[in-house]
Every structure is written in structure tokens, then in C-alpha cells.
Amino acid sequence: MVDLITQYEKIKPEIDSAIQGVISKAQFIKGPEVVEFEKELASYLGVKHVIGVANGTDALQIALMALGLKPGDEVITPSFTYIATVEVVALLNLKPVFVEVDKETFTMDISKVEAAITPKTKAIVPVHLYGQSVDMEPLLAIAKKHHLPVIEDNAQAIGGTYTFSDGSKKKTGSMSDIACTSFFPSKNLGCYGDGGAMMTDNDELALKIRMIANHGQSKQYYHDVVGCNSRLDSIQAAVLRVKLRQLDNYCIARRKVADYYNAAFAQHPHIITPKTVDYSYNVFHQYTLQLIDTDRDALKKSLEEAGIPSMIYYPIPAHKQKMFDEIGASFGDLSTTDWLTERVLSLPIHTEMQEEQLKYITDNVLKFYKNYL
Ligand SMILES: *Cc1c(COP(=O)(O)O)cnc(C)c1O
């Protein structure tokens, strides 16, 4: 699904010397690379504070902790997401309230959010799924009206942009009270292990986040609140500094792949290609098709036989996961989520794809349908 080896080979001298620099100075934890990376990412995203943490899941957990949510508080989030978004809600004994997604964009259906708000609602967690920005302007208006904080899960859309109705633009991961991202190797900005970051413009929240991520410590050996140990290490930060300089080019490369796929599958009676919306500069963490009246497993298998990987993100939506059997999640109609879960298929997309590869993949998909019909 990704080719991180070819990607590395193109930036090998810079990466190798960055890693070597950390090792030769033995500044593994909280070194200058982390500080510099946090500054550079803050400037890239246009936010005041970036705080490196150990992974994207920790980022989401610490965000909920920093907002002071209490057991039983409700958190509005989609069910159609990677489990981490929702798992941390349950882990903190908060109650997930799942809202439906839009069938065409795969992201939170904003028209369904207000109905999910109750007196117990304490936060909204939109997910920029597959690289597509959530429609943030109406969501932020609802959040403001109800005095609710918003936490963006930007693990899949770093480098993406949202355009407001007045034409102004903001990066995904810069529009909410706290935004979270992951640097898992296959993410759009990936490191060479685990890593994550949190973004905020709020000085007070930034301090609180740093404290929680560091054992609740206000000064050395003074622990004011219960926190955790969640750090971005210096080697990962050094790698990320090199790769951040490539991020815009990586996004362009992904969008070219998406253009190729879109053209190849346009007007196909069984294939719905990802919808382009004016407000979102989609950075295609995944390229995800909806397959209509198709034996998805058969297509997946026929691609596999031709040496082509494909993935179902995600085969079981959060509201149907066994982990929610015991703790009470709350939700209404999630028929679109269920509908999508049964029909989505993601094709390989990454920064190093060649036209021959794309032709081979699209030819094989189209051939499957020719034989199938
Ligand atoms: C990857 C991902 C996460 C979790 O990030 P990790 O670094 O793997 O912990 C959270 N939310 C979404 C939507 C993701 O894709």
C-alpha cells in the first residue's frame, strides 16, 4: 500500500546525517531536534503551539484529559474511523456518542451533529478521514453556539487545507481547540517508528498538555495532576524535520495518483470515486472507492492474484466493535456508516507511485468488472 523504501532512498543523505547527529550528541530525549521540529511544524500549520507526544492515540487521550473531561461526559465522534479516535474516549470512562458520516465525503455529517448534543456533551472530535477535511465552518459554528471544545483528529490529513466561505484558508490541524496527529510510518508525514503531536493556539492548554504528557509535572519532581509519559523522541523528530520539508511535495504526489485513478474509473457503473469538495484540499491518505453491486471479496482476491494489495478501511465500524458491548456507547441511525463499511475498498496510494503501476492497477480493476459482468 505504501513504498517507504523508495521514499527513503531519495532523502537518504539528509535522513542519515540527521539520525547520526542525534546519536553522536546522545540527545535522545527532549533534545534540540524536538524543540526545532515543534517550532517548524507550528509555523507550517500556522498554530501557536505544537507539542510532540509518543503517538497519535496518546495525543487524543491527552487532549481529552487536558480539557478536564470527567467520567460519564459525552464525546461526539464518528463511528466510521480508526478505532483509536474512539478507544481513548472509552479508556477515560467517557461516553462515545457516534454520529453519522456523509456518504460522499466519508467525514462527519455536520447536519447530524446538533441532534446528538445533550447536556452531558463535553467535546466534539471530528476526523479528517482519508485525507479529506471535515466541513469545519458549520461544525465550528455549532460548537461555538453550544460552548463545546473541538478536537480535530488530523492523523490522516496533515498537509490538507480547509477553505472557509470568505475564501480564507486554514490547514487541517489548526482549526480547533486542540488538534492531534500521528507520525506512524505510513501516515502522510510519517517517522521511522511511533510519534505524534498536538496543536493548540491556547497558551493555557499548551502548558496543561505539556504537563500531562510529562507525568503531570509542573517543575521537576512536583506532580500536580495525574498524567502519563508520552514523548516524541529526538531521532523521530530529526527524521520528521527532514520529511516536513517534503510534505507539500508528498501531498502533490498523492493527489496526482488520485487524479489518475479518478480518470480511470470515471462514470464506471459500479465504482464511485472519492468526491471532490470545494472546501477541502484532499491529501489522500487513502484512495477509497465505493463498490456498487460488487463482490468486494472477489475483486480484492483477483487484485491479490495480480500482486496488487488493497485494503478495507475499516471492516467493522466502531459502534459494532465488541469493546463497546459493555460500556455504553450511544448512537442513532448509522445506516450510512454500515453501508460504507460494506462497500469501501482502498487502493495503493503513496508518494512514489509510477504511471506503469497505476495503469497496471486500474487495468486489473476494470478487467475484473469486464469478466464479472
Ligand atoms: C493512525 C490514526 C490514529 C492513531 O495514531 P497512532 O500514532 O497509530 O497511535 C488516530 N486516528 C486516526 C484517524 C488514525 O488514522
Side-chain angles (χ1 to χ4, degrees):
M1 297 294 284
V2 293
D3 179 0
L4 295 174
I5 294 171
T6 310
Q7 193 193 59
Y8 163 64
E9 279 160 0
K10 290 184 181 163
I11 50 173
K12 186 177 184 316
E14 283 171 274
I15 291 276
D16 290 0
S17 90
I19 293 176
Q20 197 54 54
V22 175
I23 297 172
S24 58
K25 293 187 203 104
Q27 291 165 325
F28 302 113
I29 305 290
K30 290 192 195 297
E33 293 289 339
V34 177
V35 178
E36 288 308 310
F37 172 65
E38 287 178 348
K39 275 192 218 154
E40 288 161 6
L41 184 59
S43 138
Y44 176 85
L45 292 172
V47 295
K48 213 164 158 193
H49 306 277
V50 168
I51 300 117
V53 291
N55 55 68
T57 309
D58 276 8
L60 291 159
Q61 180 185 328
I62 295 166
L64 295 167
M65 291 166 79
L67 292 171
L69 271 62
K70 298 277 176 321
D73 287 349
E74 293 178 358
V75 177
I76 292 177
T77 168
S79 169
F80 195 68
T81 181
Y82 180 56
I83 196 65
T85 317
V86 184
E87 183 185 31
V88 294
V89 174
L91 186 73
L92 295 171
N93 293 311
L94 310 168
K95 187 174 172 186
V97 176
F98 297 125
V99 293
E100 189 58 292
V101 289
D102 179 87
K103 198 168 175 176
E104 294 190 297
T105 62
F106 306 108
T107 59
M108 199 180 243
D109 182 345
I110 307 307
S111 71
K112 304 276 164 63
V113 171
E114 228 166 352
I117 296 174
T118 76
K120 285 184 149 182
T121 307
K122 291 288 145 55
I124 305 174
V125 184
V127 182
H128 303 304
L129 199 74
Y130 303 153
Q132 178 90 288
S133 176
V134 171
D135 192 1
M136 289 301 285
E137 186 164 356
L139 180 67
L140 292 171
I142 292 168
K144 195 171 171 194
K145 181 176 155 197
H146 295 269
H147 308 289
L148 292 170
V150 176
I151 301 170
E152 285 168 274
D153 182 344
N154 196 34
Q156 299 193 1
I158 196 160
T161 308
Y162 180 80
T163 306
F164 288 81
S165 52
D166 66 0
S168 64
K169 290 176 194 290
K170 278 197 167 188
K171 293 273 186 201
T172 57
S174 74
M175 293 176 271
S176 50
D177 298 273
I178 304 175
C180 299
T181 200
S182 162
F183 304 124
F184 186 82
S186 62
K187 298 283 158 92
N188 287 24
L189 176 61
C191 61
Y192 292 166
D194 274 308
M198 304 175 64
M199 279 62 70
T200 185
D201 286 328
N202 182 316
D203 299 344
E204 215 175 299
L205 277 176
L207 270 175
K208 219 164 162 187
I209 288 166
R210 284 201 187 276
M211 191 157 104
I212 291 169
N214 186 27
H215 302 289
Q217 178 170 287
S218 55
K219 61 178 181 179
Q220 201 170 23
Y221 305 127
Y222 287 75
H223 305 276
D224 297 5
V225 295
V226 175
C228 52
N229 171 21
S230 191
R231 298 187 274 247
L232 179 67
D233 74 68
S234 301
I235 289 182
Q236 300 309 339
V239 168
L240 287 164
R241 289 186 71 195
V242 175
K243 290 186 72 177
L244 179 58
R245 296 196 280 270
Q246 303 292 333
L247 180 57
D248 285 341
N249 289 330
Y250 288 166
C251 293
I252 290 167
R254 285 175 178 276
R255 285 171 57 87
K256 274 195 188 142
V257 172
D259 285 345
Y260 188 100
Y261 281 141
N262 282 343
F265 301 134
Q267 315 299 330
H268 193 283
H270 291 267
I271 300 175
I272 303 178
T273 55
K275 184 173 166 140
T276 303
V277 283
D278 290 341
Y279 60 73
S280 165
Y281 178 79
N282 189 339
V283 290
F284 289 98
H285 176 59
Q286 301 298 347
Y287 182 84
T288 304
L289 300 171
Q290 295 175 47
L291 307 175
I292 307 305
D293 298 327
T294 303
D295 182 344
R296 182 173 59 174
D297 291 339
L299 171 55
K300 202 170 182 309
K301 189 156 169 276
S302 95
L303 292 176
E304 213 169 280
E305 280 161 10
I308 301 164
S310 61
M311 291 289 283
I312 297 164
Y313 299 114
Y314 297 92
I316 303 172
H319 71 283
K320 289 195 169 156
Q321 295 288 350
K322 208 171 157 194
M323 66 158 79
F324 293 111
D325 286 357
E326 278 168 42
I327 71 145
S330 153
F331 51 89
D333 173 33
L334 294 176
S335 51
T336 302
T337 294
D338 291 333
W339 194 94
L340 287 172
T341 301
E342 286 159 19
R343 287 170 183 81
V344 287
L345 189 71
S346 301
L347 296 178
I349 188 162
H350 55 80
T351 58
E352 310 305 319
M353 281 185 95
Q354 302 297 318
E355 188 149 340
E356 313 89 79
Q357 292 174 307
L358 287 166
K359 186 173 184 319
Y360 182 69
I361 294 168
T362 51
D363 283 353
N364 270 278
V365 172
L366 297 170
K367 197 174 84 192
F368 168 83
Y369 279 104
K370 271 204 196 100
N371 299 338
Y372 180 71
L373 293 176

